[in-house]
Amino acid sequence: MPEHKIIDGVQFDAGTPKAVSDILLRYMGNRNQRIRIFYGDPKTGKDYGEEYDIMGYVGRSTGQVKIPLLINNANSSGGPGILDGIIVRITVDKRNVYLHPTYTCNVVVKGTEVYLNGKIHARFKTAEKANKYASFLRGDSNVKG
């Protein structure tokens, strides 16, 4: 099995679902619409709870091999490569545009602690901050706190 596939001149991981590559291509180059990417296990759909390099505009690298990039803001000219093979959810304006068939993000707040998939993920000084962060992890908010 090949390690990658090329669609419209852009290289994607061979395991990237067609729906994900279609969405990334649709938003590529659009500096008017930010997206949020949720990374996770592509087999189980379990969200990893990533909080960095997950929001921005979809761009494309230059050179012979073009890959999708996540551009931080409209004035930026580059950014990290998108790990398209492990995307389990994509939102635009907090609305799902892609959801892995078995997507799960089990976020629980106990006092000032936030648990992700049964394991402690973060601690805060107040329950209010813990709840705001949990809302961010769930995708209900695009602001951590």
Side-chain angles (χ1 to χ4, degrees):
M1 184 167 148
E3 295 177 21
H4 64 275
K5 57 187 173 185
I6 308 273
I7 303 171
D8 291 342
V10 180
Q11 180 176 295
F12 293 93
D13 183 90
T16 300
K18 182 177 180 337
V20 169
S21 58
D22 288 349
I23 289 165
L24 293 177
L25 288 169
R26 180 180 335 133
Y27 287 98
M28 192 169 285
N30 181 348
R31 296 290 176 111
N32 295 316
Q33 191 64 66
R34 290 174 59 86
I35 70 167
R36 179 169 175 189
I37 296 171
F38 296 78
Y39 292 117
D41 185 324
K43 292 179 183 170
T44 64
K46 188 181 288 188
D47 192 316
Y48 290 156
E50 290 293 325
E51 57 184 288
Y52 300 104
D53 296 328
I54 57 168
M55 289 185 279
Y57 302 99
V58 181
R60 177 177 80 175
S61 65
T62 60
Q64 291 182 344
V65 178
K66 294 168 178 32
I67 63 168
L69 300 177
L70 192 63
I71 312 299
N72 184 44
N73 61 54
N75 296 325
S76 298
S77 59
I82 294 175
L83 304 174
D84 50 89
I86 60 168
I87 292 175
V88 293
R89 180 179 174 195
I90 300 173
T91 62
V92 174
D93 296 328
K94 296 181 270 186
R95 180 181 48 85
N96 288 326
V97 293
Y98 171 75
L99 194 64
H100 186 282
T102 58
Y103 176 80
T104 57
C105 181
N106 183 13
V107 177
V108 175
V109 178
K110 294 179 183 176
T112 59
E113 298 177 331
V114 177
Y115 290 79
L116 176 67
N117 299 320
K119 296 179 182 175
I120 189 150
H121 188 72
R123 289 186 175 97
F124 294 88
K125 291 185 179 185
T126 67
E128 179 185 6
K129 288 184 179 186
N131 282 306
K132 284 182 179 180
Y133 182 72
S135 179
F136 169 78
L137 287 179
R138 289 185 196 108
D140 299 333
S141 168
N142 284 335
V143 179
K144 292 181 200 174

